[in-house]
Amino acid sequence: MDKPVLRVENLSVSREGQLVVDGVNFELLSESDTALVGPNGAGKSSLVAAVLGLLPRQKGQVWVLGHPLGPAGELPHSVRSQIAYLPQTFALQGRFPLSVAEFVAFGFDPPGPRLPWGGRSKRHEAVLVALARTGSSNLGAKLLSELSGGELKRVLLAFCVVRPRKLLLLDEAQAGLDAPASEQFQELLLQLRRQEGWTVLQVSHDLEMVRRSCDQVLCLNRYLRCSGPPTQALSPKSLAELYGPNVVAYQHHHHV
Amino acid sequence: MFDSAGVLSQPFMQRALLGGLLTGGLGGLLGSFAVLRQLSFFSDALGHSALLGVSIGILLGINPTLVLIPFAVLFALLINQLVERSKLPADALLNIVYSTSLAFAVVALSLVETYRGGIQQLLFGDILGIGWLDLGVIALLLLGAVLYLVLSMRAQVLLTLNSDFAGAFGVRANWHRIAFIVLLAVVVAVSIKAVGVLLISAFVVIPACAGRLLSRRFPVYVLSSALLGGGCALLGLLASGLTNLPSGPCVVIVQFSGFMLALLLRLIF
């Protein structure tokens, strides 16, 4: 059997002295799409941040592609360059003199010191392909700060897809998008995930989307309340336990 | 009529011009990142705190230049920790720090009778007093800053955009944040002699803002900020040398003119 792409064992995380994630265990198998759901303040973003090494762990261990995450989030460059991340917000204040193509090119470069003009033609080629695959070819010359919310999300996906990666973590990446833009983003994500063979962990509040496109759900409210396939983890009983008795599970039907 | 050839042939003026070019270029280079990271006020606070460093040096009978660099670095790290740990708004905290350090510095300097005459130079700079050793230090600093920023360009840009995003893609965000602040503190400390504590932040902020108005590509932005910084310093010093007006203010007036020109070009095109 394949090693899990991500393995989390007994993970606890504190924020400002408060335990926000408590003793969480789970594994992500290769090319699986897992949703992390739970009410506001349940510790979802903290869990993702700890998995990425952005927040210190109080206890527990995280393995990415079989490599243990160091105490300050250290991973070998070869492993780190296989991880992609889309944050909830990506606010740019004022005019930021960086074109979309330049930004995506930084996604092509591996971590660590290097001369920025090395391997230019290969990088340029990869950027053009990434922009085309995310429907952003027309945005290359635009400034990053000139993009709309939906365009920015597509460009962030281009940053992820510009080099091969294994693991993609999304922290409510659709936040701030209207319903059609959110739908388009999800479709693009699904398409790229299949093409790239990404293993995905996404924080989401859109339970209908989770039901449709994810194959595993982790229900978090400080500790893991339930996990399993959507039909099981998103049952009315599980949802009532997770969100409280007043939350009603509903399904809306999409016309194709 | 001014004897411009005579002025330019003087070694002190040649050193001043070279010093201005390097200091201005260094200010513009670091300023291009500092402005995007909203550290403009930070450089101002550093400049004012440097006055406290100078006055401590004078009180202790140590050459102020020797005290200035370690003091500025320590001060920058302390401010960074204060901003991170107190959770207070950075601008309010920096205001407290810089006005308090200025107050202490003025009190300390008022105790030293012999230094009263030099306050003007401390506040507005004395680029004509720059020596070969100062020039060597500034040149080395510029070389170090260029090397560091070029080799870590990916890290610097991603960190400037979004700290968590940068960290997730392998940037040692905390390390680079502190390294940049230390570099900025050293540059501020070294430039004080030429520029003065009151105007040092202009060297960091104005060329970078002008560059930001004119550029649509990141390397162009960084390069134009550095060139504008160096170019404006050169022109300002020439004007200062020819008119016998104070050097720091002359440079800042030229920088401001450059900024207005950039703004005009931006509005027209």
Side-chain angles (χ1 to χ4, degrees):
Chain A
M1 197 178 146
D2 280 350
K3 269 188 185 172
V5 172
L6 177 69
R7 192 170 140 221
V8 171
E9 198 176 277
N10 199 25
L11 177 66
S12 294
V13 184
S14 287
R15 250 186 170 160
E16 289 171 26
Q18 221 170 1
L19 193 64
V20 287
V21 175
D22 188 4
V24 168
N25 295 284
F26 67 89
E27 283 184 356
L28 302 188
L29 295 178
S30 182
E31 300 189 27
S32 60
D33 191 347
T34 303
L36 185 59
V37 302
N40 289 332
K44 305 181 295 294
S45 296
S46 300
L47 190 149
V48 169
V51 164
L52 286 165
L54 305 174
L55 257 188
R57 283 162 278 149
Q58 196 184 62
K59 62 175 182 177
Q61 186 52 276
V62 174
W63 284 267
V64 183
L65 297 164
H67 291 264
L69 188 71
E74 304 93 334
L75 277 172
H77 283 344
S78 58
V79 178
R80 185 57 82 172
S81 58
Q82 310 249 22
I83 304 174
Y85 166 63
L86 292 193
Q88 194 173 0
T89 52
F90 200 90
L92 293 167
Q93 291 188 331
R95 184 185 156 84
F96 200 101
L98 180 74
S99 75
V100 165
E102 284 176 304
F103 170 67
V104 175
F106 284 123
F108 180 77
D109 299 335
R114 67 187 299 281
L115 290 170
W117 47 83
R120 268 177 89 168
S121 58
K122 211 171 144 190
R123 188 159 23 135
H124 180 68
E125 188 66 31
V127 169
L128 291 181
V129 172
L131 289 175
R133 290 181 68 192
T134 52
S136 314
S137 293
N138 58 330
L139 303 176
K142 268 194 167 186
L143 290 186
L144 209 56
S145 51
E146 291 171 346
L147 301 180
S148 69
E151 288 172 338
L152 183 59
K153 301 282 178 181
R154 290 210 309 273
V155 167
L156 288 172
L157 269 179
F159 188 97
C160 298
V161 85
V162 73
R163 67 176 292 135
R165 302 186 202 271
K166 290 260 189 267
L167 176 64
L168 173 64
L169 293 106
L170 301 97
D171 185 5
E172 289 184 55
Q174 281 133 297
L177 296 182
D178 59 21
S182 178
E183 190 82 10
Q184 278 173 6
F185 177 81
Q186 194 58 36
E187 274 171 28
L188 179 61
L189 177 65
L190 202 65
Q191 181 190 326
L192 291 173
R193 180 176 78 82
R194 284 182 187 140
Q195 290 168 354
E196 293 289 305
W198 283 337
T199 303
V200 172
L201 176 65
Q202 51 179 322
V203 173
S204 183
H205 284 296
D206 185 349
L207 299 182
E208 184 50 34
M209 180 281 292
V210 170
R211 222 185 282 278
R212 271 186 291 127
S213 54
C214 298
D215 29 57
Q216 187 185 202
V217 181
L218 305 170
C219 307
L220 185 77
N221 196 355
R222 203 176 76 181
Y223 58 90
L224 215 52
R225 303 279 176 144
C226 62
S227 63
T231 45
Q232 183 192 319
L234 298 182
S235 68
K237 185 168 170 273
S238 302
L239 288 178
E241 277 176 22
L242 188 63
Y243 291 97
N246 297 327
V247 172
V248 181
Y250 68 93
Q251 276 186 294
H252 50 132
H253 301 279
H254 291 262
H255 303 283
V256 182
Chain B
M1 199 178 141
F2 298 112
D3 177 13
S4 57
V7 169
L8 290 174
S9 67
Q10 298 292 324
F12 72 86
M13 193 61 198
Q14 290 165 354
R15 282 197 303 272
L17 290 176
L18 192 56
L21 185 69
L22 295 176
T23 312
L26 195 51
L29 177 69
L30 289 193
S32 60
F33 290 93
V35 163
L36 291 177
R37 284 187 201 168
Q38 299 180 335
L39 288 172
S40 312
F41 201 39
F42 186 80
S43 60
D44 204 24
L46 272 177
H48 285 76
S49 71
L51 190 62
L52 180 58
V54 171
S55 47
I56 288 173
I58 294 165
L59 271 180
L60 297 176
I62 307 168
N63 181 353
T65 316
L66 294 177
V67 181
L68 210 48
I69 294 178
F71 183 84
V73 170
L74 200 69
F75 212 81
L77 293 174
L78 273 173
I79 297 175
N80 185 46
Q81 282 296 308
L82 263 179
V83 170
E84 275 184 15
R85 286 170 193 259
S86 71
K87 309 281 178 204
L88 285 168
D91 60 339
L93 206 60
L94 286 171
N95 201 310
I96 294 171
V97 168
Y98 103 64
S99 36
T100 311
S101 55
L102 190 61
F104 273 114
V106 171
V107 168
L109 285 174
S110 68
L111 298 173
V112 190
E113 291 289 327
T114 51
Y115 208 76
R116 278 188 181 150
I119 289 276
Q120 184 82 359
Q121 274 78 33
L122 273 179
L123 295 180
F124 300 108
D126 178 22
I127 201 147
L128 298 179
I130 210 160
W132 286 113
L133 183 66
D134 300 309
L135 275 180
V137 171
I138 297 170
L140 272 178
L141 204 53
L142 180 61
L143 188 69
V146 168
L147 268 178
Y148 169 63
L149 292 175
V150 166
L151 287 175
S152 66
M153 187 58 83
R154 174 184 184 271
Q156 301 301 334
V157 173
L158 295 185
L159 184 59
T160 305
L161 284 167
N162 184 306
S163 173
D164 281 351
F165 186 79
F169 284 94
V171 173
R172 291 161 69 198
N174 214 29
W175 192 93
H176 281 294
R177 194 182 297 116
I178 290 174
F180 184 81
I181 282 172
V182 167
L183 188 60
L184 189 60
V186 174
V187 168
V188 166
V190 169
S191 309
I192 289 285
K193 189 169 184 179
V195 187
V197 294
L198 291 184
L199 299 174
I200 184 69
S201 64
F203 269 63
V204 175
V205 176
I206 299 178
C209 284
R212 194 171 172 177
L213 287 168
L214 295 172
S215 321
R216 287 187 70 86
R217 294 194 57 230
F218 204 78
V220 177
Y221 163 60
V222 175
L223 204 63
S224 64
S225 301
L227 290 176
L228 277 168
C232 289
L234 205 60
L235 283 177
L237 285 171
L238 275 173
S240 163
L242 295 173
T243 58
N244 209 21
L245 287 168
S247 54
C250 279
V251 174
V252 175
I253 289 168
V254 174
Q255 283 176 336
F256 179 70
S257 310
F259 171 76
M260 290 308 288
L261 190 65
L263 190 63
L264 200 67
L265 288 171
R266 171 100 192 99
L267 292 174
I268 293 170
F269 300 106

